[in-house]
Amino acid sequence: MKLFYSPGSCSLAPHLILNESGLAYEAVAVDLRKKTYAGSDFRQINPKGYVPTLEISNGQVLTECSVILQYLADQKPEAKLIPTPGSFDRYRCLEWVNFVATEIHKGFAPLWNPKTPDAYKEMVRENLSNRLEFVANQLADHEYLMGKQYSIADAYLFTTLSWSSILKFDLSPWAPIIKFVDRVKARPATLTTMKKEGLLK
């Protein structure tokens, strides 16, 4: 498998899961000009022009972070990064993945855009705060979103929360979230992945 990623972007989540699972893969960095660091045209691989993109050995290409996370977890079920198919816990996990995708990931999006009016950014921060309050309540009595078991939902949540320092979004009001970030960051696979992406020395 080949993962196309941009350092620190949402593609960090499947990169984390690849290292957590121990699956064999090649990581290919993509820059903001839609070129791989080797110089090839990334849009020839993914016409959408954004990461993450997963190229599978049979020539198939998968896009969209949530789908790639599920696919990777299913390739190594013994890693227990997603509950078993058909179980209610699996749907609960996917519920969290989709919440992170639509409410946290997309919630941060306007803060990246320098053209977003300040008044609108305040509304965005308020909405994000409400969503993070919900997450903090879940994490108050749990190590991870699904309890004691680390999952694809946690990798995705950690990835989006890692943007808070860049965007000057203060997480300190939510102690359970701070503890969660520290817990995930301390995982060996997280350290390996972040070093590979140049996010840690």
Side-chain angles (χ1 to χ4, degrees):
M1 288 185 290
K2 189 180 291 186
L3 176 72
F4 294 86
Y5 75 98
S6 292
S9 73
C10 63
S11 56
L12 176 63
H15 205 170
L16 290 169
I17 293 304
L18 279 163
N19 285 321
E20 284 282 348
S21 66
L23 290 165
Y25 73 98
E26 177 186 351
V28 180
V30 178
D31 66 21
L32 296 177
R33 294 170 298 140
K34 310 307 177 190
K35 297 283 186 181
T36 67
Y37 283 9
S40 58
D41 185 359
F42 176 60
R43 289 186 186 275
Q44 294 297 314
I45 300 158
N46 179 2
K48 295 175 183 175
Y50 56 75
V51 296
T53 297
L54 187 71
E55 190 175 64
I56 303 165
S57 56
N58 63 5
Q60 294 275 17
V61 172
L62 273 181
T63 64
E64 305 304 328
C65 189
S66 298
V67 174
I68 292 172
L69 288 170
Q70 294 170 59
Y71 175 81
L72 292 175
D74 281 337
Q75 303 315 297
K76 197 72 173 288
E78 60 268 33
K80 298 182 179 178
L81 293 166
I82 191 171
T84 55
S87 67
F88 189 78
D89 278 348
R90 186 182 181 92
Y91 298 111
R92 185 66 74 199
C93 181
L94 296 179
E95 180 181 43
W96 277 115
V97 169
N98 283 277
F99 178 84
V100 173
T102 59
E103 304 300 324
I104 310 295
H105 183 174
K106 292 302 181 185
F108 271 116
L111 300 181
W112 289 107
N113 190 339
K115 295 181 180 180
T116 302
D118 289 342
Y120 184 64
K121 284 185 178 180
E122 285 306 308
M123 293 174 57
V124 168
R125 290 177 182 276
E126 183 178 347
N127 286 337
L128 271 172
S129 294
N130 291 335
R131 304 301 185 265
L132 291 177
E133 184 70 25
F134 177 73
V135 172
N137 288 337
Q138 174 70 7
L139 293 173
D141 300 316
H142 299 87
E143 292 181 33
Y144 300 110
L145 290 171
M146 291 295 294
K148 291 186 177 182
Q149 182 64 45
Y150 180 80
S151 74
I152 58 173
D154 300 299
Y156 200 178
L157 177 62
F158 173 81
T159 295
T160 58
L161 294 175
S162 71
W163 303 333
S164 60
S165 58
I166 303 169
L167 297 171
K168 296 180 171 55
F169 189 94
D170 184 15
L171 296 178
S172 64
W174 303 286
I177 288 179
I178 297 292
K179 291 178 181 177
F180 167 83
V181 169
D182 290 343
R183 188 176 299 120
V184 176
K185 194 172 183 179
R187 295 179 70 88
T190 303
L191 295 172
T192 297
T193 308
M194 294 185 77
K195 286 177 182 176
K196 186 173 183 64
E197 294 202 6
L199 306 173
L200 284 178
K201 293 184 179 180

